[in-house]
Amino acid sequence: MNSTIEHEKCYGAHNYEPLPVVLTRGEGVYVWDDQGNRYIDMMSAYSAVSHGHCHPELVQTLNDQAKKLGIVSRAYYTDKLGDFLEKVCKAAKQDKALPMNSGAEAVETALKAARKWAYTVKKVPDNRAEIIACEGNFHGRTITIVGMSSEPQYRNGFGPFPDGFKLIPYGDAEALRRAITPHTAAFLVEPIQGEGGIIVPPAGYLKKCAEICRENNVLLICDEIQTGMGRTGKFLACEHESVQPDALVLGKALGGGLLPVSVFLSREEVMNVFTPGDHGSTFGGNPLAAAVGAKALDILFKENLIKRSEELGIYFRAELEKIKSPLIAEIRGKGLLIGVEINPHYSSAREICLRLLKHGVLSKETHHTVIRFAPPLIITKEQIDDAIKKIIQALEGM
């Protein structure tokens, strides 16, 4: 057993089960292990590394800002935050943004905003606001968020959970209509369920949900932490159905693969429910994060990464569909967010991931049966071709 792996296991909580590889360096779509072996990164840190590993401009921005000013808290104004907030608001077509760090923090912010909006604007009776979410969702790991999860492992041993949440089937707009009451504040939904297995809802689902929310004065909040920032071939996945949500959360790729950066965005009516002292974060919106976040947005558009994701996603999926293997039950996704469902009668997704590792491709299973392919958006057609060859080699002989 690798001594580095044993060292981590000795001192770290066992809340992850990593693949047995020790990564030490990254550049572009590639990472290297401690033995010098090179791998194509098909995970992108759950979409956090959409710009590629160690993008030179992002690293330069990080270094330059770190030499000037890193963290001072939101007790003061800084010269970087306003520019970052303007760029992310304009890209997402929202009025205001509230910066946080992790995706879960941004979701928590969305939940607080929705509840206070319900009490102050919609006039829901105190402590009666409801938020509807979907079965199979993954919005984070806090007590509140796992309390609205349908995954037993995420909940077992962590209760009791806060009240005020309803779960409905994903992809069923009429289930949303039936679940809404006069006390419903918001509907929180992923345009594509990532951790749930790259589940793409039926065409028109999100648009219908938006109509139902609008008819009932319910906020539509889209969780675009994994699907946003060009991952599905649009800046936001909800743009595939021309849906403008009332609010949304962004994260992961917003930090350029270097820092945790997230935001909750909404229209002015919703954001104005916050007053000084209602909410905050020591690190949220710090100058270092703001500088990197602004540059990450600049690069996304300057390098046409969104269009690349759309075009190369179509190509990658078409090449995967050419693979004739009884192990593959289904291929689904949008842009460079692709899930390959493995037939459990032949193998587990983890076993396939271990075989991919031996052939120089890094991926990770979700829900035991699905392999994610979500490479950095800078990947080339030639690199996809190379990955396809390695995927075929990994599947052969099983």
Side-chain angles (χ1 to χ4, degrees):
M1 177 65 74
N2 186 294
S3 61
T4 301
I5 294 176
E6 287 301 303
H7 194 207
E8 183 176 314
K9 284 185 174 182
C10 179
Y11 290 98
H14 298 169
N15 59 318
Y16 277 92
E17 190 179 7
L19 296 182
V21 60
V22 178
L23 304 177
T24 60
R25 183 167 68 90
E27 182 179 346
V29 301
Y30 299 110
V31 289
W32 286 261
D33 67 14
D34 55 355
Q35 305 301 309
N37 300 307
R38 190 183 76 172
Y39 305 84
I40 300 174
D41 183 2
M42 283 289 170
M43 270 288 290
S44 301
Y46 301 95
S47 296
V49 191
S50 290
H51 300 77
H53 292 277
C54 302
H55 191 291
E57 285 188 57
L58 285 165
V59 171
Q60 186 65 52
T61 298
L62 179 72
N63 288 337
D64 290 347
Q65 184 60 41
K67 292 174 184 177
K68 295 177 183 177
L69 185 65
I71 312 294
V72 293
S73 86
R74 293 292 303 282
Y76 316 99
Y77 291 99
T78 65
D79 63 343
K80 297 299 176 185
L81 184 55
D83 181 52
F84 167 59
L85 297 180
E86 179 185 6
K87 286 180 178 179
V88 73
C89 283
K90 287 184 174 178
K93 300 180 179 66
Q94 295 289 347
D95 294 334
K96 292 182 181 291
L98 197 162
M100 298 299 286
N101 307 288
S102 68
E105 289 174 279
V107 171
E108 287 276 359
T109 303
L111 299 178
K112 290 177 73 172
R115 284 179 170 176
K116 192 164 187 185
W117 172 85
Y119 300 133
T120 60
V121 177
K122 190 174 180 178
K123 304 303 181 183
V124 170
D126 286 349
N127 297 315
R128 299 290 299 277
E130 301 168 343
I131 292 173
I132 300 172
C134 289
E135 294 170 357
N137 77 74
F138 184 84
H139 297 294
R141 300 275 191 180
T142 66
I143 288 287
T144 299
I145 294 172
V146 298
M148 60 178 173
S149 173
S150 60
E151 179 67 29
Q153 184 183 4
Y154 298 161
R155 297 170 56 90
N156 290 346
F158 299 118
F161 301 106
D163 293 329
F165 297 99
K166 285 182 178 179
L167 286 183
I168 61 172
Y170 185 62
D172 184 347
E174 289 306 311
L176 171 63
R177 188 190 300 278
R178 292 191 296 270
I180 290 174
T181 74
H183 296 162
T184 303
F187 175 45
L188 174 63
V189 64
E190 299 160 273
I192 296 174
Q193 289 190 335
E195 189 70 18
I198 321 298
I199 306 299
V200 181
Y205 168 67
L206 199 62
K207 182 180 283 292
K208 187 63 177 177
C209 288
E211 293 171 0
I212 292 169
C213 287
R214 190 161 50 249
E215 291 166 5
N216 290 275
N217 196 23
V218 169
L219 299 178
L220 173 64
I221 304 176
C222 288
D223 181 341
E224 295 263 11
I225 290 168
Q226 282 200 45
T227 57
M229 295 286 289
R231 173 54 57 183
T232 69
K234 299 284 187 183
F235 179 72
L236 300 173
C238 60
E239 292 175 9
H240 287 286
E241 295 192 359
S242 301
V243 168
Q244 175 66 25
D246 299 294
L248 68 137
V249 286
L250 288 174
K252 295 198 183 294
L254 198 56
L258 298 174
L259 293 172
V261 182
S262 67
V263 290
F264 166 67
L265 303 108
S266 191
R267 63 175 189 262
E268 198 148 356
E269 176 194 79
V270 176
M271 205 64 82
N272 284 348
V273 304
F274 287 114
T275 60
D278 277 354
H279 192 54
S281 165
T282 300
F283 290 91
N286 67 76
L288 203 58
V292 170
K295 181 59 71 172
L297 286 162
D298 289 344
I299 292 170
L300 192 72
F301 293 104
K302 182 180 70 174
E303 297 189 2
N304 294 316
L305 297 185
I306 300 172
K307 188 66 174 175
R308 290 179 61 84
S309 178
E310 178 187 27
E311 293 174 351
L312 291 174
I314 293 170
Y315 178 76
F316 192 7
R317 186 170 170 182
E319 292 301 301
L320 285 168
E321 288 172 347
K322 291 177 184 178
I323 299 174
K324 304 303 178 186
S325 171
L327 282 81
I328 298 177
E330 185 183 8
I331 298 169
R332 53 185 181 259
K334 282 185 184 293
L336 285 171
L337 180 63
I338 301 170
V340 176
E341 182 92 31
I342 299 300
N343 188 328
H345 294 296
Y346 292 94
S347 183
S348 69
R350 183 168 181 90
E351 179 58 32
I352 302 297
C353 287
L354 288 168
R355 289 181 65 88
L356 287 169
L357 177 67
K358 292 178 181 177
H359 287 86
V361 176
L362 290 185
S363 184
K364 191 68 167 64
E365 79 279 2
T366 181
H367 277 246
H368 309 295
T369 60
V370 181
I371 300 171
R372 278 178 274 231
F373 290 116
L377 306 187
I378 63 167
I379 196 168
T380 66
K381 184 177 178 182
E382 291 72 26
Q383 289 167 333
I384 289 174
D385 290 340
D386 184 35
I388 289 290
K389 290 177 185 177
K390 296 176 184 296
I391 293 166
I392 292 171
Q393 291 170 355
L395 295 176
E396 286 177 347
M398 292 199 68

